[in-house]
Amino acid sequence: EAGVAQSPRYKIIEKRQSVAFWCNPISGHATLYWYQQILGQGPKLLIQFQNNGVVDDSQLPKDRFSAERLKGVDSTLKIQPAKLEDSAVYLCASSLVGRGLVSGYTFGSGTRLTVV
Amino acid sequence: QKEVEQDPGPLSVPEGAIVSLNCTYSNSAFQYFMWYRQYSRKGPELLMYTYSSGNKEDGRFTAQVDKSSKYISLFIRDSQPSDSATYLCAMNNAGNMLTFGGGTRLMVKP
């Protein structure tokens, strides 16, 4: 099966600019996650979708980050305006409903964001 | 104090060595424990998962969970240069949100 697709792979922007990342999960995976991984740290959950709906966005900095999942498939994550501390790899992951609990997720390769 | 602690390494071993990777955690509600491997510039990939305490073996990999000590381990036997990567432990309770450790960077030298 095809994996989780993410684009772009790399992005460099200046602080206060906006940026958007795109994710296409594995076909049939109803649950989609966005994680932020700062260099040298483990991934941190930003937001979890199940189909179109948000399940958990408690760690999403909502003053600058937003995410949507159109038609329960693709998802976009936006940052506006970006800060230096947003430099990180943004990972998208997906899982079958209820399976993330016991069998983990499938991650994409991520988008590496550098804010200068 | 972080919920999940993991020694960042790097851990350097010769090819063929037995590798021991560990995590400690503070949240006694965690029930599911996973190990992910992350190669450079790639996303994490699931290696193994276990539920509650005990051991689980898969080829050269063995995962151990000791809930009484809040301590989990991953052992790699006959380590290979292709095992060089960052290893992340992750765990959760009844929800789907995973809490990751910071990762241990492993280098296996030929």
Side-chain angles (χ1 to χ4, degrees):
Chain A
E1 66 180 1
V4 175
Q6 288 189 249
S7 68
R9 286 299 311 275
Y10 305 93
K11 191 75 177 179
I12 300 175
I13 62 171
E14 295 183 350
K15 59 184 179 183
R16 290 187 290 275
Q17 285 187 325
S18 63
V19 64
F21 313 126
W22 174 82
C23 173
N24 180 243
I26 291 174
S27 178
H29 281 194
T31 309
L32 184 147
Y33 315 82
W34 283 101
Y35 278 81
Q36 180 193 57
Q37 186 174 23
I38 293 172
L39 184 66
Q41 299 182 20
K44 183 186 84 172
L45 180 70
L46 293 175
I47 188 167
Q48 176 187 343
F49 292 94
Q50 185 161 311
N51 296 312
N52 290 342
V54 175
V55 174
D56 186 344
D57 64 356
S58 57
Q59 298 190 85
L60 187 74
K62 298 181 187 63
D63 57 333
R64 297 183 300 106
F65 286 66
S66 64
E68 61 180 3
R69 190 177 184 196
L70 300 174
K71 300 180 181 179
V73 182
D74 292 4
S75 177
T76 56
L77 176 69
K78 296 179 182 178
I79 307 175
Q80 183 180 11
K83 292 185 176 181
L84 295 176
E85 58 260 36
D86 297 332
S87 294
V89 175
Y90 290 85
L91 294 162
C92 179
S94 69
S95 71
L96 292 167
V97 174
R99 292 304 305 274
L101 187 68
V102 295
S103 60
Y105 318 146
T106 301
F107 283 88
S109 293
T111 296
R112 183 176 298 271
L113 173 67
T114 302
V115 182
V116 297
Chain B
Q1 183 189 10
K2 295 180 181 178
E3 273 194 297
V4 181
E5 298 276 3
Q6 193 174 0
D7 188 328
L11 179 62
S12 182
V13 301
E15 183 176 353
I18 296 174
V19 176
S20 172
L21 304 166
N22 311 294
C23 287
T24 59
Y25 63 94
S26 57
N27 187 345
S28 57
F30 287 141
Q31 299 179 53
Y32 297 89
F33 304 91
M34 303 173 192
W35 285 96
Y36 283 82
R37 177 174 62 196
Q38 187 173 27
Y39 291 114
S40 180
R41 302 191 183 277
K42 295 288 187 182
E45 57 176 330
L46 181 67
L47 272 178
M48 299 183 71
Y49 68 91
T50 54
Y51 171 68
S52 197
S53 287
N55 292 1
K56 185 174 183 179
E57 188 173 320
D58 184 2
R60 296 185 295 112
F61 299 89
T62 299
Q64 285 186 351
V65 174
D66 181 350
K67 291 191 73 178
S68 62
S69 302
K70 297 190 178 69
Y71 187 87
I72 69 170
S73 300
L74 178 71
F75 297 95
I76 307 174
R77 291 183 298 280
D78 187 25
S79 56
Q80 303 295 310
S82 59
D83 295 328
S84 298
T86 296
Y87 289 79
L88 298 154
C89 63
M91 46 198 80
N92 63 7
N93 46 31
N96 273 321
M97 189 185 87
L98 287 180
T99 301
F100 283 85
T104 298
R105 186 170 154 227
L106 171 67
M107 295 184 292
V108 181
K109 297 184 175 180

